[in-house]
Amino acid sequence: ILNVEQSPQSLHVQEGDSTNFTCSFPSSNFYALHWYRWETAKSPEALFVMTLNGDEKKKGRISATLNTKEGYSYLYIKGSQPEDSATYLCASLQGGSEKLVFGKGMKLTVNP
Amino acid sequence: KAGVTQTPRYLIKTRGQQVTLSCSPISGHRSVSWYQQTPGQGLQFLFEYFSETQRNKGNFPGRFSGRQFSNSRSEMNVSTLELGDSALYLCASSLSGAMAFFGQGTRLTVV
């Protein structure tokens, strides 16, 4: 059974704070790790697809790292803004499967 | 190019009825996946289709079924609806193995 866990489940921060979230996944037969951002009343939007151990990706103030050997990924947001408020989802893809297994998400609220 | 389109956006059905949801993927995407989201739960995988073939299936009862047409459009059907089937149903299309592009979902309410 493939379980993807995210922590914390929710986070309230002040504008300007930096935040980081953790996604853990089974490391066996790993193929890819996806991060998505889901704003209220919108569709989930892909942030990153990561495949290589030690990979680091960046998009503006958001970055992510990947450790496939120990089965975790970190998502960082530097200098959070109110528009960063959303649910952040990670999902794991195992080799030989097209089945994305999602964590329950981490709801971020950034207060102005 | 156009994104993933799901219809209808909202639906109210009564217990025991059946429902069909539709998903039109991004042009060129041959993989279409369906997910269910209920309060407090993450996105639960229903099934994935590629070139009209179901490649993967989640742990849902046989009342949940789907199909994909030659133009990659996909439908999902739920028969004998139960109250617990009330959820947001999302479909996503992708080039195989790549990032998924989601539709806005169909909000199904079973009364």
Side-chain angles (χ1 to χ4, degrees):
Chain A
I1 296 177
L2 177 63
N3 288 320
V4 177
E5 304 288 341
Q6 291 187 248
S7 62
Q9 291 189 1
S10 66
L11 195 59
H12 290 252
V13 301
Q14 291 299 122
E15 183 175 353
D17 288 348
S18 292
T19 65
N20 67 83
F21 332 135
T22 304
C23 172
S24 62
F25 53 89
S27 54
S28 61
N29 203 23
F30 170 85
Y31 183 77
L33 192 283
H34 293 211
W35 280 101
Y36 293 85
R37 166 194 160 94
W38 194 358
E39 292 180 75
T40 303
K42 293 187 178 180
S43 314
E45 176 191 358
L47 288 171
F48 306 113
V49 175
M50 308 175 80
T51 56
L52 300 176
N53 185 46
D55 205 2
E56 185 168 342
K57 299 222 173 183
K58 189 173 180 181
K59 185 176 182 179
R61 294 179 290 99
I62 304 177
S63 60
T65 60
L66 179 67
N67 183 320
T68 61
K69 293 183 179 179
E70 296 182 41
Y72 64 84
S73 175
Y74 294 137
L75 187 76
Y76 301 92
I77 301 180
K78 183 179 178 181
S80 302
Q81 299 297 308
E83 57 265 32
D84 295 328
S85 297
T87 296
Y88 292 83
L89 299 166
C90 70
S92 179
L93 193 64
Q94 284 191 306
S97 169
E98 294 293 331
K99 177 181 172 181
L100 266 179
V101 178
F102 282 84
K104 291 187 178 181
M106 199 291 301
K107 185 172 182 179
L108 174 67
T109 304
V110 183
N111 299 310
Chain B
K1 58 186 174 183
V4 178
T5 304
Q6 289 188 247
T7 56
R9 291 289 310 279
Y10 302 93
L11 206 48
I12 299 175
K13 291 283 189 178
T14 55
R15 278 180 296 175
Q17 285 188 311
Q18 68 94 28
V19 67
T20 299
L21 312 181
S22 179
C23 173
S24 294
I26 289 172
S27 178
H29 287 189
R30 293 163 68 187
S31 174
V32 174
S33 298
W34 287 89
Y35 298 86
Q36 181 198 65
Q37 197 214 22
T38 50
Q41 297 295 317
L43 294 176
Q44 302 292 312
F45 175 83
L46 282 154
F47 25 66
E48 186 255 349
Y49 287 87
F50 184 88
S51 293
E52 302 179 67
T53 301
Q54 186 184 90
R55 290 197 299 188
N56 291 278
K57 191 176 188 308
N59 296 322
F60 279 81
R63 300 184 297 107
F64 291 81
S65 63
R67 59 178 176 168
Q68 187 180 34
F69 302 94
S70 58
N71 61 358
S72 293
R73 188 177 72 84
S74 178
E75 287 182 348
M76 188 192 103
N77 185 276
V78 188
S79 62
T80 320
L81 284 165
E82 300 177 359
L83 295 179
D85 297 333
S86 295
L88 178 68
Y89 291 88
L90 287 167
C91 88
S93 75
S94 68
L95 296 170
S96 190
M99 66 174 59
F101 293 83
F102 285 85
Q104 290 197 287
T106 294
R107 174 75 62 184
L108 172 65
T109 302
V110 182
V111 297

